[in-house]
Amino acid sequence: KKKEDSKEAIVSVPKKVETKKEAVEKNEIVDLVNKGIGPIKSIELGDIDQAVANIGAEHFKKKCTSCHKAEKKFLGPPMKGLLAKRSPEWVMNMMLNPMEMTKKDPIAKQLLKDYNNLLMVGQNLTEEEARSILEFIRTL
């Protein structure tokens, strides 16, 4: 009976550690008010525009997938569920202005620490390209 009790204890401890690790990996900072630093001051999101999202998927594939995956942590954070944690303005400003964001924005600064000080490289996106990528992220 003692062996069974100790097995249960051993099993329950890793589960708790995994849960904490998962929370850290998912970057549980939620801030939907912060708009970030950059040219985007306000965005109104309506229904998903699938044509724009399709264009965004292509831009994402070409410019973002070397560091970002949809559903898992990679060199950068996963994109699925991003808009439940960040304002759309913040997401676009991060795409358009990553250097200043990582120097001045508290969330971007924390993400930089969380991801081994790996800077997000600016992709010289236009606002239209960034908006299409945002629309694609909404579909994930």
Side-chain angles (χ1 to χ4, degrees):
K1 201 170 187 180
K2 286 183 180 178
K3 286 182 182 178
E4 287 175 15
D5 289 343
S6 64
K7 282 182 185 176
E8 286 176 21
I10 292 169
V11 170
S12 66
V13 172
K15 284 183 183 175
K16 288 180 184 174
V17 172
E18 278 180 24
T19 302
K20 185 177 180 184
K21 182 181 175 189
E22 287 170 5
V24 170
E25 285 180 357
K26 288 180 181 176
N27 184 28
E28 295 300 331
I29 300 169
V30 175
D31 186 340
L32 298 172
V33 177
N34 179 354
K35 295 183 184 295
I37 301 160
I40 307 303
K41 305 301 180 204
S42 180
I43 298 174
E44 293 294 323
L45 296 179
D47 294 336
I48 291 173
D49 183 329
Q50 194 57 56
V52 173
N54 292 343
I55 293 166
E58 288 302 312
H59 289 306
F60 185 84
K61 186 176 175 183
K62 289 177 190 169
K63 299 195 178 227
C64 308
T65 56
S66 59
C67 295
H68 296 280
K69 303 299 176 203
E71 297 192 34
K72 66 179 182 177
K73 178 180 175 179
F74 191 50
L75 299 177
M79 296 292 99
K80 185 175 182 176
L82 181 61
L83 291 167
K85 295 186 278 188
R86 309 279 177 269
S87 71
E89 296 87 355
W90 188 96
V91 174
M92 283 191 60
N93 282 323
M94 190 66 191
M95 285 189 267
L96 294 167
N97 191 25
M99 296 306 287
E100 188 175 10
M101 287 280 287
T102 52
K103 288 178 185 170
K104 298 179 181 177
D105 180 81
I107 295 171
K109 286 165 75 171
Q110 184 59 50
L111 285 168
L112 184 62
K113 288 179 190 174
D114 293 347
Y115 286 86
N116 301 313
N117 292 316
L118 185 61
L119 285 169
M120 181 169 156
V121 178
Q123 297 296 317
N124 297 313
L125 297 170
T126 65
E127 284 186 25
E128 185 179 354
E129 290 167 334
R131 181 63 183 86
S132 71
I133 293 169
L134 178 72
E135 199 69 2
F136 167 67
I137 291 169
R138 294 178 69 201
T139 69
L140 299 175

